[in-house]
Amino acid sequence: MKLIWSPETASKAYIDTVKSCEKLRESGVPELLSAMAAGWDAKLIVESWSHGTPIATSLGLAMAARHTGGRHVCIVPDERSRLEYVKATRNAGVMPEVVVGEEATVAVLAGVDFLVVDCKRKDFTRVLRRAKVSPRGAVFACKNACQRNLSGFRWHGVVERGTRVVRSVFLPVGKGLDIAYLGYGGGSASVGSSIKKGPSRWIKHIDQKSGEEHLFRE
């Protein structure tokens, strides 16, 4: 089994996210992540969130979950964050599942299809390491990647041992998006190694804030 890309679903989620986030005036990160999660037909979408963080990405992932019929779960560190997050998402018309603390995190991170972490959070690498990739594989994304305080960041060092890193890409969208496509089990493989791949696809993304157009190969 593997993740299969659906351009039609990705496009619908992208458009819905643009409509939902137009008043928030954020970068194109929510739209891009929404399209990717929907396009890969993610059934378990997980994100990490903490006090004071914008909710635009959550809106985008919620739109994706609606189109895939999947679960959208948000991990928050404490009760204060939970209350703030629930209030903000409810006002925006979405209601993701919310779990609090590390104990709940372990159960939620089993069989993840799509994971988004914020590099502003000190524990973002711990979330990545605890996540267990679904049998179909998974896409992991680090937003605000330009602000992480880790030199020499490598996906091989922050994902569960034995997880196979098929390919990764860094996108100059927002404050940096570092995205990896992970295979289920079978050891690790670096980007560019001799892995059989299907036909590549070019994906176009337009930053709604700057108007810049980005092309990347998937």
Side-chain angles (χ1 to χ4, degrees), residues 16 21 33 52 74 76 84 89 95 117 129 149 162 196 207:
D16 286 349
C21 297
L33 292 175
C74 183
V76 297
E84 181 181 343
T89 52
M95 285 293 292
V117 298
R129 192 168 288 112
N149 296 319
K196 292 183 179 180
D207 191 310

Side-chain angles (χ1 to χ4, degrees), residues 18-37:
V18 170
K19 294 177 180 178
S20 299
C21 297
E22 60 184 355
K23 295 182 180 179
L24 299 179
R25 298 182 181 277
E26 281 204 36
S27 66
V29 171
E31 294 91 342
L32 179 56
L33 292 175
S34 176
M36 292 186 70

Side-chain angles (χ1 to χ4, degrees), residues 39-124:
W40 288 118
D41 193 30
K43 299 304 183 184
L44 177 55
I45 302 171
V46 180
E47 65 170 320
S48 63
W49 190 92
S50 59
H51 169 71
T53 304
I55 63 163
T57 295
S58 289
L59 297 184
L61 297 178
M63 294 302 106
R66 287 181 181 178
H67 285 284
T68 66
R71 292 174 62 201
H72 171 206
V73 184
C74 183
I75 301 168
V76 297
D78 49 41
E79 185 63 17
R80 178 190 184 189
S81 295
R82 187 191 72 81
L83 293 174
E84 181 181 343
Y85 182 81
V86 168
K87 180 179 179 180
T89 52
R90 182 181 293 129
N91 289 340
V94 297
M95 285 293 292
E97 297 178 44
V98 185
V99 296
V100 181
E102 294 188 3
E103 291 185 4
T105 299
V106 176
V108 169
L109 291 173
V112 175
D113 291 311
F114 199 89
L115 173 66
V116 179
V117 298
D118 190 339
C119 291
K120 289 182 179 180
R121 282 186 57 164
K122 295 179 179 180
D123 66 342
F124 83 92

Side-chain angles (χ1 to χ4, degrees), residues 109 112-117 123-134 137-142 148 150 152-168 178-191:
L109 291 173
V112 175
D113 291 311
F114 199 89
L115 173 66
V116 179
V117 298
D123 66 342
F124 83 92
T125 56
R126 186 160 62 246
V127 175
L128 291 171
R129 192 168 288 112
R130 290 186 173 186
K132 297 184 181 300
V133 174
S134 79
V139 174
F140 285 8
C142 293
R148 60 191 172 204
L150 292 178
F153 176 90
R154 295 290 183 274
W155 280 104
H156 298 292
V158 295
V159 295
E160 183 186 27
R161 186 175 182 180
T163 300
R164 183 162 51 91
V165 181
V166 179
R167 61 177 73 95
S168 66
D178 199 349
I179 302 172
Y181 173 51
L182 308 175
Y184 179 73
S188 61
S190 59
V191 178

